[in-house]
Amino acid sequence: MKKLTRLAIIGGASALALALSAPALAAFTPRLDVSVPNGLGASGKVTIHTAVGPTDDTAARLVVYSPIRFTANGGTVGSVIGTADARVRAGDLGGAIVPVPGEIEVRAPTGTALVSGVPIPLAQLAIGCTGTTTHTAYWVFKLTAAGNALELAAFFDMTAGAEQALGTSKITFCLPPDDVPAGTPGRSPLGIKLVDAVLTFNAGTFTNPSTSGQYLWTSIWTPYNPGVGTANVAGTVSAVSATPLPVALTLKGTYSKARKSAALAGRISIAGQFLAGVKLPLFAGPKRTGLKRSGSTNATKATGAFTAIKRMVRTTFYQVRFAIPAVETPQICAALPPPPTLPRCVTSTVGAFTVLSNIVKVTFRK
């Protein structure tokens, strides 16, 4: 997987789009992309973005695995460990796409979650979803959709046995069906169906490993059989997202009195690989804060090194920044083992990231 990050950045999403030739495969093609802090051993915010096409089959069950060598913490009872920003399709509202914001709370195993306005014991929900009440932590997503309070239970576990090949921890969700007749027990409120969800976990929930590499987040999805509210186990698929670590960007600057210019130089590397042929956005200003765009560096070399010359009339602060969105990278799916080791992989991404260099001060001299 050494070349995946470079392919994603330089090739772009359009060149790497995944094409599925068989019509049956297009009925359920969920997507995962994950963003983590850039540094080794870092424990900042982690964003997990899951998505399903509005016309895809409804997701019945989702399990998200953090990569091998990541550490994870299920939180303490009563704490809020992050936020959720989801969108759903509400069948009872004419198919409108509705925002569903909320927060992620850790609850006691003896607690409850609201299901259609009724408090249901978390242990009962766990049995129905995972087949056991033994979990490292019970999480409840406290959400609001079209003015209605909703709660969704999730179950956090450290992996054991064969599952450790997929990652160090997992989050399991079970979702209600939306396309069964209104009034059917267990139907989702408002006939809502997940379209996408951005889950942002607080610092300390996940911690990056201490060694460089490409780290794979894995999600396993099971859809419903359309219209009947039963899980289509045979239709289970996977979607994965690679997070390269570390992402490093350095900058230094000196003043050239003869040219009345700042001579800037630095280097960018991604998971130990150097990125060539990219002009990096440069920011400048008279103060360390409030820097504004000031052109770009020269294109990076094969060593990841770059330079820039900037005319000066006063002492100036400089910073280089670089960002890419999540990029579809089907080469990752192609490199994964076939079923039954892992359910058929339908989408794969390199996760989005933003990296900022250190800020350098170049002093102007007359």
Side-chain angles (χ1 to χ4, degrees):
M1 293 173 59
K2 274 190 170 184
K3 296 182 180 179
L4 292 176
T5 302
R6 177 178 170 79
L7 285 169
I9 295 168
I10 296 177
S14 60
L16 297 175
L18 179 62
L20 298 175
S21 58
L25 301 184
F28 194 59
T29 53
R31 184 178 188 270
L32 174 74
D33 64 80
V34 182
S35 298
V36 303
N38 296 319
L40 296 179
S43 186
K45 289 187 176 182
V46 169
T47 300
I48 299 175
H49 179 205
T50 63
V52 181
T55 60
D56 280 11
D57 293 340
T58 300
R61 190 171 191 265
L62 165 62
V63 186
V64 178
Y65 293 86
S66 65
I68 296 170
R69 297 182 182 170
F70 271 67
T71 58
N73 177 8
T76 58
V77 172
S79 64
V80 173
I81 59 170
T83 61
D85 186 8
R87 293 187 309 142
V88 299
R89 180 185 180 276
D92 295 353
L93 299 177
I97 301 299
V98 176
V100 183
E103 60 184 19
I104 308 166
E105 181 182 84
V106 183
R107 290 194 185 166
T110 54
T112 62
L114 291 176
V115 178
S116 298
V118 178
I120 303 296
L122 287 171
Q124 178 180 330
L125 296 174
I127 288 290
C129 182
T130 67
T132 180
T133 59
T134 303
H135 295 289
T136 304
Y138 285 76
W139 294 351
V140 174
F141 289 68
K142 299 168 61 179
L143 309 169
T144 303
N148 296 278
L150 307 174
E151 293 191 341
L152 174 68
F155 309 98
F156 172 83
D157 294 284
M158 304 307 295
T159 57
E163 274 193 312
Q164 289 181 318
L166 295 174
T168 54
S169 68
K170 65 178 181 179
I171 312 166
T172 304
F173 305 83
C174 288
L175 305 171
D178 65 298
D179 59 354
V180 293
T184 301
R187 181 179 184 266
S188 63
L190 302 177
I192 61 175
K193 169 187 174 180
L194 176 68
V195 175
D196 65 49
V198 177
L199 312 179
T200 303
F201 291 93
N202 296 343
T205 307
F206 296 99
T207 301
N208 292 351
S210 58
T211 54
S212 64
Q214 301 273 1
Y215 290 93
L216 197 66
W217 295 75
T218 301
S219 61
I220 296 178
W221 302 69
T222 300
Y224 277 107
N225 289 303
V228 295
T230 58
N232 176 13
V233 177
T236 298
V237 297
S238 63
V240 300
S241 182
T243 50
L245 289 172
V247 182
L249 180 57
T250 61
L251 182 66
K252 59 183 180 180
T254 58
Y255 180 70
S256 170
K257 186 173 181 180
R259 303 172 70 176
K260 290 186 170 53
S261 298
L264 305 172
R267 189 184 305 273
I268 185 170
S269 64
I270 301 172
Q273 304 170 56
F274 296 118
L275 181 63
V278 177
K279 295 182 178 181
L280 304 175
L282 180 64
F283 292 76
K287 298 181 180 179
R288 185 174 292 272
T289 57
L291 301 182
K292 296 182 179 180
R293 182 68 184 269
S294 181
S296 300
T297 68
N298 296 321
T300 53
K301 299 179 180 179
T303 59
F306 60 85
T307 59
I309 302 295
K310 300 296 293 184
R311 291 282 294 175
M312 294 177 63
V313 295
R314 60 187 173 185
T315 295
T316 304
F317 293 86
Y318 296 96
Q319 185 180 50
V320 175
R321 304 174 186 176
F322 182 58
I324 64 165
V327 177
E328 298 284 351
T329 314
Q331 293 93 327
I332 302 177
C333 271
L336 295 177
T341 304
L342 186 72
R344 179 173 57 88
C345 183
V346 293
T347 59
S348 50
T349 66
V350 171
F353 66 80
T354 298
V355 60
L356 311 179
S357 77
N358 53 301
I359 296 175
V360 299
K361 177 182 179 181
V362 179
T363 302
F364 179 78
R365 296 191 299 273
K366 294 182 179 180

